[in-house]
Amino acid sequence: MGKGVMVFAPLPQLTVMVEQVSDEPELHLHAGGQGLWQARMITALNVPVTFCALLGKGEVGRVLISLFDDEGLELKAVRRHADSGWYVQERRDDERHVVAENPGSPLGRHDGDELYALALAEGLKASICLLSGAADPSLVPPDFYSRLGGDLQRNGTAIAADLAGEHLNALLEAKPAFIKVSDEELADDELADKNDEASIVKAAQLLRDRGAATVVVSRAEKPAIALMDDGAYQVRIPKLTVRDEHGAGDSMTAGVVAVLAQGGDLKDAIRTGAAAGTLNVTQHGLGAGRADAIAELVKLVELEPLESS
Ligand SMILES: Nc1ncnc2c1ncn2[C@@H]1O[C@H](COP(=O)(O)OP(=O)(O)O)[C@@H](O)[C@H]1O
Ligand SMILES: O=P(O)(O)OC[C@H]1O[C@](O)(COP(=O)(O)O)[C@@H](O)[C@@H]1O
């Protein structure tokens, strides 16, 4: 068994960003989506990553492949004729607006089977698999995650996930070692009142009862809540100047998974996740997250037992 992470994000997309910083707009292209940001942060923490996905053979897919190459991310891809999805967003004064989008085609039977076989083979080489980037249930069927997660888990690869809604619901059957959800996702899924800590703890306990060993609920600037075998904790972070909250949750998940992949302690993993998420909000783009800055921030993160637990 290796010591790396396999990030499974079935349908990465091309993100085209038009940045209105001054009179001259700037154009940036990046391989986008949740799994990509997670893979970048895991790489920044010096843990090897393999990224497993489905990519189109058209123009968008070809651009994505060259962007993966430029970043040095190890990509294992199934290629198909239907092209990859994309979206165009405009950023002005730290606000983002989607201008146009095309999410791409759903997983078909043939490409879905090929992707499944590839993800299983690659996942079994890793010490932990992060199942992410679920897109819409109409694009990636929820049972894809439960089958893949279950097969990997039964064959000795731990599962971590950053999913919500129907995908999370299905994935719980695979008994993941770790899941990260946000208070907003719990509220959207009608599992908790996001302004009521007791209701969040109750929802996290429900997710544990349904199969997740450790559950972290992030709540942006409020302390995250972590539930694990030995109890419930508040994850206290230092106060910092916030610049860009985009991708904070991805950084947090990546930080936890990077430490777990190296066989690290669960509480250290959660501290690292909180530090990675927090560092991310202090700067634009989480690719800039550096291991040394995160290691410094980890020292200021505290796990405090929740009195009611
Ligand atoms: N405004 C903020 N101030 C400080 N830390 C933040 C802020 N927003 C996010 N974070 C950090 O990032 C983590 C994940 O953030 P959150 O916004 O809850 O995730 P998501 O992007 O999934 O909604 C938080 O637990 C915290 O450590
Ligand atoms: O298209 P981009 O810029 O790569 O952004 C994709 C990111 O947006 C999100 O979907 C939403 O991010 P936030 O909710 O943290 O703003 C992330 O999960 C994902 O990483």
Side-chain angles (χ1 to χ4, degrees), residues 126-140:
S127 54
I128 187 161
C129 282
L130 173 55
L131 304 185
S132 112
D136 197 274
S138 65
L139 295 175
V140 182

Side-chain angles (χ1 to χ4, degrees), residues 180 182 218-221 224 237 242 245 247-249 252 274 277-278 281:
K180 205 292 274 174
S182 70
S218 67
R219 299 190 297 158
E221 75 286 353
I237 52 171
V242 175
E245 290 175 322
M252 183 181 223
T278 305
V281 301

Side-chain angles (χ1 to χ4, degrees), residues 112-167:
D113 286 350
E114 261 190 83
L115 182 64
Y116 194 90
L118 179 67
L120 189 56
E122 290 302 323
L124 293 175
K125 295 180 200 163
S127 54
I128 187 161
C129 282
L130 173 55
L131 304 185
S132 112
D136 197 274
S138 65
L139 295 175
V140 182
D143 80 321
F144 195 95
Y145 282 92
S146 48
R147 283 190 299 121
L148 179 61
D151 280 348
L152 287 167
Q153 206 269 120
R154 275 188 294 279
N155 286 289
T157 300
I159 299 301
D162 189 339
L163 300 169
E166 291 177 49
H167 291 103

